[in-house]
Amino acid sequence: MQLVAQIVLNGVLLGGFYACMALGFSIVWGVMNVVNLAYGSMIMIGAYVTQMAVLQLGLPFAAALPLAALATFTMGYVLQRALLNRLAERSVFMTLIFTFGLNMALINLNLILFSADVRSLPDVFGRASFTIAGLSVPYGRATIFAVAMAMTLGLHALLNWTPLGNAIKATSFDPDAARLSGIDVPHVYALTFAIGGAIAGVTGALVATSYSFSPVAGESYTMKAFVVVVLGGLGSIPGAIIGGMLLGIVENLASLFLDSGYRDAVGFTLLLLVLVLRPRGLMGRRFFAEVKG
Amino acid sequence: MSSSSRRRLVAGGLSILLALSTVMPAAAQDMIRFGTALSLTGNLATEGKLVREGYDFFVKTVNERGGIDVAGKKYKVEIVYYDDESNVNTSVKLYEKLISQDKVKFLLGPYGSGITIAVSNLTEQHKLPLVIAHGAASTIYNRGYKYIFGVLNSIDHYTYNMVKMASEQKLTRLALLNENQLFAQLGIDGAARQAKELGVEVVYKEKYSSGTKDLSPELEKMKAAKPDMIIAGGYTNDMILLARQISQVGLKPKLLGYLLGPTLPGFVKSLGADAELTLEPVQWSINVPYKDQFFDWTARGYADAFQKVYGHVPDYHPIQSTAALQVYYNAFQKVGGFDPQKVRDAIAETDIVTAYGPIRFNEKGQNIAKSMSVVQIQDGKPVVVYPADVAETKLKLNP
């Protein structure tokens, strides 16, 4: 029983991380109907920036994290403003092809800049754990969880309680009406993509501390983000959290009770079930693309 | 520039290119040409680069000494390279190209077992020898193929010396974990067999899915089995996660071994203290006591000469590549010609000692003359701790 409780707790911690990385993917998809296949590569860039800031500039991790977010925020804004906005009104396939190509370009750029070596930041949070009710919680995973939750709340606040949030939501529902009411739609799109980028950057900083990264490792993160977003519901912040946690817990329990090789199979079965029984996702409202007609 | 002069320029450029392309084969007549496709980009690019350096180093060395002496005539050596982008399908196409378009008769292996299996189907069909420097899966050699030869120890032998160490240290409870993937599975299954043979009990054995972001379910179960030694197999990304989580869940084995990881670039730097005292079997180390029968170098001599050219100390990858070419080098001299069938037969009879180690093939094409050394990370540096005649220093157990 103790073991099951520990594994569920680990699943929750993992789920927080999944939620965190899915947020940026979800908001871009939800608002602009862009499936950003280069999302994982942006996470990797966040990880590289963090590593350089810590190892070469000697900054503490707490300072490197915002730096990574700033880098991918800027990158996101420029990409959207300069390139993706030209495709925004076109079909989903155009943007898919674009982000697919962008992903290849970023992977190869990273290969040239950083080589294919696998990297990671050693010992940012140490190896220690603390104990709650007999269950051990490693500091590293707890920090990731805390950052993920803080970012989720921040994004929720931004979207619901600020003028920018209203502009983003309005643009997402009806870009034409938004334009008529004086909203600078290309700017809002670019900011949304940039926010998604910043979240990727923060995720990358977290990846650098607890996982390893290399130019080609991004794709597995894009894949996970995709699953979490579809599970939880497109563009929904609570959806990302619930989708992430559910996936984390179910994967871990599958590893515990079934052969660990079934971990992914169980995750994808869950995805299939949700798609069949509740196609809009657990917390999703109607499909954004559908609303937009 | 007017459009007609531009057209003339293009035409001129084209004719120069054409002229060059007809000249090249003539100049290549006194050359022995090898061919290979390597993972020069993509997710295996790190290893691909090391593999290429080893092949190139042989070419440089031999050509500087005037070439290979075949029936009284010196032949220079050249390798036709392609980039397989770490992709099996691309690799097979490129080998097809090497054989049918470039007319290469002597092939060198690619990097990685999966790619080698696919490529060897093709070379076997064409009845052309393939000397494999970097395909360790035992499945490559278990198909009754007659034209493949691997200079390295195959994966099911990797852990033999590690398990033997465990039994000599009176460690009796072994836990095994591997990525659900061919290479790691063969290696860890091999470890389970060796444990049985050497009287070590396997108290836990499982596999996990590639790219997993949390290994704690496996490790918590492993912890409950109270192992005193762990051997894990998988690619570097997962092994870094594993090393972190082993200490996070509070597993404290006396020995922790990996099929591969600790000696790869990035592992020690990424993990710091978590890499300390980890073990890895290696195909070769600078300390192996072999003196090359063709070139006047020992293992250390090879490393020094290599470092002068490439600016870094070679791990086992480059010298393994060099050894594959030395197998050909020996066979050409024995045959005194370039008939692929005769060269193949001479390769089958190989019995040489190189700085990489002794090479002699069994009927499956596996090198049965060499064994793996075991490396341990001590104070952040890899040192050889086993077997005794190769060891630089003593094995340390975790407290």
Side-chain angles (χ1 to χ4, degrees), chain A residues 10 121 127 211-212 256 260, chain B residues 207 213 216 237 244 274:
Chain A
N10 292 352
L121 274 180
R127 297 189 269 174
Y211 297 96
S212 54
L256 182 64
S260 320
Chain B
K207 51 181 179 285
K213 304 281 177 258
S216 66
N237 279 313
R244 283 227 163 89
D274 285 332

Side-chain angles (χ1 to χ4, degrees), chain A residues 68-126:
Chain A
L70 183 68
T72 45
F73 180 91
T74 314
M75 184 185 151
Y77 191 92
V78 171
L79 274 175
Q80 176 73 32
R81 194 80 208 212
L83 299 168
L84 259 169
N85 265 343
R86 296 166 199 275
L87 299 169
E89 318 278 309
R90 303 279 167 80
S91 77
V92 182
F93 288 103
M94 289 300 286
T95 56
L96 260 184
I97 290 168
F98 175 78
T99 58
F100 181 81
L102 177 64
N103 186 44
M104 306 266 260
L106 290 179
I107 287 177
N108 284 296
L109 182 72
N110 283 342
L111 276 170
I112 293 168
L113 290 178
F114 304 109
S115 85
D117 289 2
V118 175
R119 295 155 193 249
S120 183
L121 274 180
D123 283 335
V124 174
F125 304 118

Side-chain angles (χ1 to χ4, degrees), chain B residues 294-309:
Chain B
F294 304 105
F295 305 120
D296 38 6
W297 56 41
T298 56
R300 195 169 289 277
Y302 176 91
D304 291 344
F306 182 93
Q307 195 181 1
K308 279 206 191 91
V309 181

Side-chain angles (χ1 to χ4, degrees), chain B residues 10 205 239 248 287 360 394:
Chain B
V10 169
K205 182 173 189 293
M239 291 301 106
Q248 282 177 352
N287 297 318
R360 199 171 68 244
K394 277 214 160 102

Side-chain angles (χ1 to χ4, degrees), chain B residues 113 135-139 141 152-160 182-188 190-191 193-194 259-260 283 366:
Chain B
S113 291
S138 35
T139 38
Y141 308 96
L152 69 177
N153 285 109
S154 50
I155 179 76
D156 50 337
H157 296 134
Y158 266 36
T159 54
Y160 187 84
L182 179 70
F183 180 83
Q185 187 72 52
L186 292 170
I188 293 299
R193 272 196 308 275
Q194 293 143 13
L259 278 186
L260 57 117
Q283 296 279 1
Q366 289 168 298

Side-chain angles (χ1 to χ4, degrees), chain B residues 161-162 165-166 169 171 228-230 253-264 267-268 272-287 372-387 390-399:
Chain B
N161 277 342
M162 285 206 298
M165 273 166 55
Q169 296 291 332
L171 305 180
D228 46 23
M229 177 174 190
I230 302 173
K254 295 274 177 216
L255 287 175
L256 170 56
Y258 295 95
L259 278 186
L260 57 117
T263 61
L264 285 179
F267 190 90
V268 171
D274 285 332
E276 198 57 21
L277 300 190
T278 55
L279 303 169
E280 179 182 345
V282 291
Q283 296 279 1
W284 175 84
S285 76
I286 282 181
N287 297 318
M372 304 285 286
S373 315
V374 181
V375 153
Q376 184 170 45
I377 304 296
Q378 295 187 1
D379 299 321
K381 300 231 157 29
V383 286
V384 180
V385 293
Y386 198 87
V390 181
E392 293 167 79
T393 178
K394 277 214 160 102
L395 172 74
K396 284 188 191 161
L397 298 185
N398 284 306

